[in-house]
Amino acid sequence: AQKVTQAQTEISVVEKEDVTLDCVYETRDTTYYLFWYKQPPSGELVFLIRRNSFDEQNEISGRYSWNFQKSTSSFNFTITASQVVDSAVYFCALSEEDDSNYQLIWGAGTKLIIKP
Amino acid sequence: DTGVSQNPRHKITKRGQNVTFRCDPISEHNRLYWYRQTLGQGPEFLTYFQNEAQLEKSRLLSDRFSAERPKGSFSTLEIQRTEQGDSAMYLCASSLQGGRHEQYFGPGTRLTVT
């Protein structure tokens, strides 16, 4: 069965600190996709990144970076030099390749609080 | 702006009333999803459409809930005889077909049942 675990319920850091959000997944499929979404206080879920199971290269986008490690079934998200605007709930999600698939398996989310 | 839009953004209704929400997906997306989200929880899947066909409904979706996507474009979600437990954020998302494609979400409709 598929499962996504975000063990950190809430993280609070002071602005400019680096912070890493953990995501551990379970799947028996060899082809799968991992996603991160951001949900700011306004409520809209914003897509951040998709990573497929065959691409273990780390991704960097500005202050955001993602570390995908199949050996540990993890897809962690790091924010460097955090800012107050990064405060949000962050969700990790998993999907299969199959075209008939419709389900995103969601983690419970990690609430990130950036204090000024 | 070609993102997913939802209307209304907020709806307050009295228990027992019917409400209808609308979602306009990204135009080239053939898949459309409805989710419900309560405070402190992740999105809960309700139903999804591929073009105009409703292909899956969650067990969460009671008989009071119905969704349509008549021409494979916009979709409506209706809740009949609302109950206080229906109070939640209702999210719509759209995507291209296939699990490899990310879903893009609308701003949501916050429903409050008094």
Side-chain angles (χ1 to χ4, degrees):
Chain A
Q2 295 178 317
K3 184 179 178 182
V4 175
T5 302
Q6 294 181 257
Q8 303 149 311
T9 306
E10 184 174 304
I11 300 174
S12 180
V13 300
V14 177
E15 198 172 21
K16 297 182 184 176
E17 287 185 14
D18 299 347
V19 58
T20 295
L21 309 181
D22 297 333
C23 174
V24 174
Y25 62 92
E26 294 177 29
T27 179
R28 284 180 233 163
D29 295 310
T30 56
T31 303
Y32 52 88
Y33 296 84
L34 295 162
F35 305 83
W36 276 95
Y37 284 84
K38 174 183 181 180
Q39 189 171 39
S42 61
E44 185 165 348
L45 275 159
V46 178
F47 165 72
L48 294 178
I49 190 170
R50 177 191 66 197
R51 174 61 78 228
N52 75 54
S53 54
F54 295 108
D55 183 2
E56 287 195 71
Q57 275 192 326
N58 290 335
E59 176 100 7
I60 298 175
S61 176
R63 296 182 297 105
Y64 295 174
S65 62
W66 290 268
N67 183 358
F68 176 34
Q69 291 195 337
K70 287 179 76 171
S71 60
T72 55
S73 297
S74 65
F75 186 42
N76 296 337
F77 173 30
T78 297
I79 301 175
T80 303
S82 60
Q83 300 177 3
V84 172
V85 293
D86 296 326
S87 296
V89 179
Y90 291 86
F91 291 95
C92 181
L94 168 70
S95 175
E96 295 175 333
E97 162 69 45
D98 187 353
D99 271 359
S100 67
N101 176 61
Y102 62 91
Q103 280 275 28
L104 270 178
I105 308 302
W106 294 86
T110 296
K111 183 176 183 178
L112 178 62
I113 300 169
I114 310 295
K115 299 177 184 175
Chain B
D1 182 23
T2 57
V4 179
S5 62
Q6 291 186 247
N7 287 289
R9 295 292 307 276
H10 303 273
K11 179 70 177 179
I12 300 174
T13 191
K14 292 184 178 179
R15 189 174 51 193
Q17 298 294 304
N18 300 342
V19 294
T20 299
F21 310 142
R22 176 177 170 130
C23 171
D24 287 88
I26 293 172
S27 57
E28 60 266 30
H29 287 176
N30 57 354
R31 286 200 172 175
L32 185 148
Y33 311 79
W34 285 99
Y35 292 86
R36 182 170 64 190
Q37 188 179 28
T38 53
L39 200 61
Q41 303 295 318
E44 293 177 300
F45 170 79
L46 293 179
T47 187
Y48 95 105
F49 292 83
Q50 185 159 302
N51 300 311
E52 66 276 9
Q54 187 175 17
L55 297 186
E56 188 71 25
K57 290 169 61 172
S58 165
R59 287 171 295 169
L60 293 173
L61 215 62
S62 77
D63 291 343
R64 297 184 296 105
F65 288 70
S66 62
E68 294 183 343
R69 194 183 182 196
K71 295 182 180 178
S73 56
F74 74 92
S75 175
T76 58
L77 177 69
E78 181 183 15
I79 309 174
Q80 296 182 326
R81 305 181 303 283
T82 52
E83 302 171 357
Q84 286 189 321
D86 297 331
S87 295
M89 177 76 89
Y90 289 84
L91 299 168
C92 176
S94 70
S95 77
L96 295 170
Q97 183 173 339
R100 62 189 174 278
H101 295 293
E102 59 272 17
Q103 296 179 19
Y104 290 91
F105 284 80
T109 295
R110 181 165 296 283
L111 173 66
T112 303
V113 182
T114 61

